Amino acid sequence: MDRIFNIIIAGVGGQGILTASEILAKVAMEVGLDAKKSEVHGMSQRGGSVVSHVRFGKKVYSPLVEKGACDIILSFEKSEALRWVHYLKEEGGKVVINDLEIIPTTVSLKLDTYPTNIEDQIRDKAKAEVILVPATDLARQAGDARTANTVLLGVISNFLPFEDKVWEKVISDNVKKETIEVNLKAFYLGKNYYKK
């Protein structure tokens, strides 16, 4: 693979963002690619923003995605997708969003307002395919709402050059043994959701 893939995973604390970025980087390394990632934890224990940059390819020198170079923004919460859309490349980018709104403390305290028409705002700011995914509902179908991160990995697996068996191995190696089955089910629910 000659090109480098740039992916930003964003959400709020407790949504499994770091686990998802770890799995994604390990999938790339499993097939012999170089992978780098970085993480920024806001007030992650209190529902604050968390973001991870994941880059992989033949040789990657920096873990940070440059503004305007991101191939995929994977957001676990709707407003977090809007926060990072300026990193998306001008043409051919994708924004995969969990159809979930988590009201920040500043909005609860009436110091700010939650954005409206987020998908339209993203489309106005970037020429990107916006894919809204009921990831939490699909995770419940898989058997555990906490596997929404794995559902979302399943969706983006449709755009990445890795075979399903590689995803299965890395997911199985990186989740608790008793949750392997539900995570694999969540992965395929996400993968097949996009294909419908």
Side-chain angles (χ1 to χ4, degrees), residues 53-158:
H53 293 211
V54 181
R55 303 183 72 222
F56 52 84
K58 192 172 180 181
K59 182 64 185 167
V60 178
Y61 293 99
S62 168
L64 298 177
V65 176
E66 291 182 26
K67 289 179 184 172
C70 186
D71 296 292
I72 300 172
I73 292 175
L74 179 59
S75 182
F76 291 25
E77 194 279 330
K78 289 173 81 173
S79 68
E80 290 298 320
L82 193 56
R83 184 188 307 271
W84 296 98
V85 72
H86 61 288
Y87 273 79
L88 207 61
K89 63 186 184 182
E90 281 188 29
E91 298 280 342
K94 298 186 186 309
V95 184
V96 178
I97 309 170
N98 185 8
D99 188 13
L100 176 70
E101 294 180 358
I102 297 175
I103 305 300
T105 304
T106 53
V107 173
S108 299
L109 296 172
K110 300 188 185 224
L111 300 172
D112 204 350
T113 56
Y114 193 87
T116 57
N117 301 320
I118 289 172
E119 299 101 278
D120 292 339
Q121 287 192 57
I122 290 171
R123 287 186 185 99
D124 288 345
K125 292 180 179 183
K127 296 173 185 169
E129 180 180 4
V130 179
I131 303 160
L132 201 59
V133 181
T136 306
D137 290 341
L138 291 172
R140 286 191 187 104
Q141 282 181 37
D144 190 335
R146 293 174 296 181
T147 61
N149 58 347
T150 313
V151 170
L152 292 166
L153 287 174
V155 174
I156 68 166
S157 72
N158 290 298

Side-chain angles (χ1 to χ4, degrees), residues 18-43:
L18 303 183
T19 300
S21 65
E22 185 77 12
I23 288 171
L24 179 56
K26 286 183 175 178
V27 165
M29 291 188 292
E30 185 72 21
V31 299
L33 297 175
D34 188 20
K36 296 206 171 21
K37 66 182 182 75
S38 73
E39 302 159 354
V40 175
H41 313 226
M43 296 287 283

